[in-house]
Amino acid sequence: MKLILQPAAAIACLALAGVAHAQPAPMPTLLEAATAIREHTTTSCELVERSLRAADLHQDLHAFITIDRIGARRACAEADRAVAHGRKLGRLHGVPIAIKDNILVKGLPFTGGTRALQGYVAAQDAPAVARLRAEGAIVIGKLNLHELAFGATGNNFAYGAVGNAYDPSRFAGGSSGGSGAAVGARIVPAALGTDTGGSVRIPAALNGIVGLRPTAGRYSGEGVLPVSTARDTIGPLARSVADLALLDEILSGSRGEVQPRPPAGLRLGVARAAFYDNADEATRRAFDAALDKLKGAGAQIVEIEIPQLREVAARVAPVTDYEARVGIAAFLAKYKTGVSLDRLVADIASPDVAAGFRNRIVSASAPTREAYETALKVERPKLQALLRGAFESNRLDALLYPVTLAPALPIRGTEMSVTINGRTTSTLAAYIANTGPTSTAVLPGVTVPIALSDEGLPIGLAIDGLWNSDRALLAIAMGMETIFPALPAPKQ
């Protein structure tokens, strides 16, 4: 973890000398923190120091690549002066947050989780970061990720494997592993990640928190190192759906409070063959118990089939492979990183990412422009029509499935393959098996925690909706959140 350290004579900002390694007080949720600052029951600097101490306490998670101690302390001092002088406050005034390190934050190092970009400092904020700062949020640092956001475990060979908030010996998920671990471990109340095939929802589920993949295009994607411009989106991670709703309002510019929609009367689709049958026993047990609770609350569980979902989704794969090559090269040039695509690829440290780039993205057999156009303009509309048909013919309010086929597994070196239910496959394929098809169709989705496994590991429920139903989907998730018992905080 690269630290930006504060000199001894720099701004104190209520730093608690002598207790840097003391157990920090529990971190409130995003809304709780903002309310407490506004109501003078805490200060911004108290929360910033709490975050910094928690980050130090949890260094074994490798959640951060950069921590901006100087900038965070200066910002919190100014935030507290604004409160003291009665100035108008933003909705996130003085609240510490953290940002995945594939998103530009002005004045902070930007690595994309890879060695070639080490030393590059962003000259501007991504628009999404600017929106959060305009509401008073304080960025305390940049979060670790699966290298170049190409993976589902968060095992980064350049900056360390991100450990799970509930068991650091297990992976946090990816690619936004640092975001999931930092929020799950209560280091920050909320974080930004990015999601192409499940990279917000997987770490949210594995770390026992909530996450939102919005409809693609709902938030600005400027200032984000791309994987696939057709599929990528920034997504928030937090500890309550109400926090997600606030962040979505700020990031999208939408208006109107989200009210919980109770499960009673909802029609919720379950496609067992597509999403459920290959899950491990702990996940199936938790999912079945969640469905029973929803039924008990008055929801109607509609058993459906989505024939050939995976086959149709697989035919859209050239979109990601083609756009990664073109989009990354364009980003490197646009933001004057001084790094070429060839050098970036040559310096990849993580074996799974290096193999993926060699075999699919920069190889002679990489998708042609013609294959890309066919996948984007012919195959993706077929996938979208298939999902729209499933929703409309069954009159669904949402589609439900386990976010992952299994809870977090132990960190074991390269993790190129895993075995779940006796089936061995690539780790990436196994952990995006459920989130991949709907994100390929760029549907919005929310994940909420529903249980801990017998080993004490979180299991998440995916709640997907049709395009641009983001606020309605958040209302459904908020209603469901009330019937699932809150997971205990991870042991410190």
Side-chain angles (χ1 to χ4, degrees):
M1 177 170 62
K2 182 178 180 180
L3 304 181
I4 298 179
L5 299 174
Q6 182 184 28
I11 302 168
C13 186
L14 300 182
L16 304 181
V19 293
H21 300 289
Q23 190 78 17
M27 179 60 65
T29 67
L30 188 77
L31 278 166
E32 289 170 348
T35 300
I37 291 170
R38 193 173 297 111
E39 294 181 350
H40 303 268
T41 57
T42 191
T43 67
S44 174
C45 284
E46 286 172 355
L47 293 180
V48 164
E49 290 300 331
R50 200 179 299 178
S51 281
L52 295 176
R53 291 197 304 278
D56 289 341
L57 181 68
H58 292 292
Q59 287 190 52
D60 60 328
L61 295 180
H62 299 119
F64 285 84
I65 292 177
T66 298
I67 294 179
D68 184 11
R69 299 178 189 274
I70 295 174
R73 286 173 169 147
R74 283 176 176 159
C76 77
E78 178 57 34
D80 287 338
R81 281 193 291 270
V83 173
H85 289 91
R87 298 178 200 155
K88 183 178 179 180
L89 307 181
R91 287 171 285 181
L92 300 177
H93 185 87
V95 179
I97 61 168
I99 307 294
K100 184 178 179 180
D101 201 15
N102 63 342
I103 303 172
L104 296 176
V105 176
K106 184 177 180 180
L108 292 187
F110 173 96
T111 70
T114 200
R115 293 182 301 204
L117 289 168
Q118 215 168 25
Y120 173 70
V121 176
Q124 62 197 86
D125 281 335
V129 175
R131 281 180 175 266
L132 298 180
R133 294 224 239 210
E135 292 291 343
I138 294 174
V139 177
I140 71 159
K142 303 294 295 296
L143 295 160
N144 202 355
L145 63 150
H146 206 109
E147 191 165 359
L148 294 169
F150 274 81
T153 65
N155 190 359
N156 186 311
F157 277 64
Y159 297 98
V162 185
N164 191 282
Y166 282 76
D167 181 351
S169 72
R170 295 176 181 255
F171 56 65
S175 62
S176 308
S179 304
V183 177
R186 279 53 172 176
I187 298 172
V188 287
L192 287 190
T194 60
D195 193 302
T196 302
S199 289
V200 163
R201 292 157 294 155
I202 292 166
L206 297 185
N207 289 278
I209 58 176
V210 296
L212 168 66
R213 175 199 163 88
T215 300
R218 182 170 175 83
Y219 308 157
S220 171
E222 287 294 313
V224 180
L225 184 69
V227 175
S228 166
T229 52
R231 296 176 61 188
D232 292 347
T233 177
I234 285 174
L237 300 91
R239 284 177 25 226
S240 77
V241 180
D243 288 352
L244 293 183
L246 173 59
L247 290 165
D248 174 73
E249 185 176 334
I250 293 168
L251 292 167
S252 68
S254 61
R255 289 288 180 264
E257 186 178 357
V258 173
Q259 295 291 338
R261 183 174 176 186
L266 291 176
R267 290 178 60 84
L268 304 172
V270 175
R272 292 184 183 273
F275 296 103
Y276 174 86
D277 290 346
N278 291 331
D280 75 351
E281 181 182 352
T283 301
R284 291 199 305 271
R285 192 165 59 242
F287 185 66
D288 285 340
L291 295 183
D292 286 342
K293 287 177 182 175
L294 289 167
K295 288 179 189 175
Q300 185 174 351
I301 304 300
V302 185
E303 300 283 347
I304 68 171
E305 293 184 0
I306 312 178
Q308 295 188 312
L309 175 66
R310 297 191 182 282
E311 294 83 349
V312 177
R315 294 201 292 270
V316 191
V319 169
T320 301
D321 294 346
Y322 183 88
E323 289 186 339
R325 182 174 71 250
V326 174
I328 292 173
F331 178 95
L332 295 173
K334 177 178 179 178
Y335 292 103
K336 298 179 173 58
T337 63
V339 176
S340 68
L341 179 61
D342 287 344
R343 182 187 155 199
L344 187 85
V345 174
D347 279 355
I348 292 173
S350 306
D352 58 332
V353 180
F357 269 78
R358 283 196 312 267
N359 299 335
R360 297 182 1 244
I361 295 170
V362 297
S363 71
S365 60
T368 63
R369 177 75 187 185
E370 182 180 10
Y372 165 67
E373 294 282 356
T374 299
L376 184 65
K377 297 179 180 178
V378 177
E379 300 299 341
R380 190 172 75 161
K382 290 179 183 177
L383 175 63
Q384 292 171 328
L386 186 64
L387 287 162
R388 185 182 295 279
F391 269 84
E392 293 179 350
S393 64
N394 293 287
R395 297 179 288 113
L396 301 181
D397 294 294
L399 177 68
L400 306 185
Y401 54 87
V403 177
T404 59
L405 299 178
L409 296 176
I411 297 170
R412 295 187 303 264
T414 60
E415 296 163 0
M416 297 285 278
S417 65
V418 295
T419 301
I420 299 174
N421 279 349
R423 299 183 181 186
T424 300
T425 185
S426 79
T427 307
L428 177 63
Y431 274 83
I432 67 166
N434 280 1
T435 57
T438 57
S439 61
T440 300
V442 296
L443 295 184
V446 181
T447 177
V448 297
I450 53 174
L452 291 178
S453 71
D454 291 342
E455 296 174 295
L457 300 168
I459 297 170
L461 173 70
I463 311 162
D464 285 3
L466 285 177
W467 302 273
N468 302 312
S469 65
D470 303 68
R471 301 296 276 178
L473 198 61
L474 286 164
I476 291 171
M478 201 178 290
M480 288 187 189
E481 189 179 41
T482 64
I483 71 168
F484 301 128
L487 300 188
K491 294 178 182 178
Q492 300 297 315

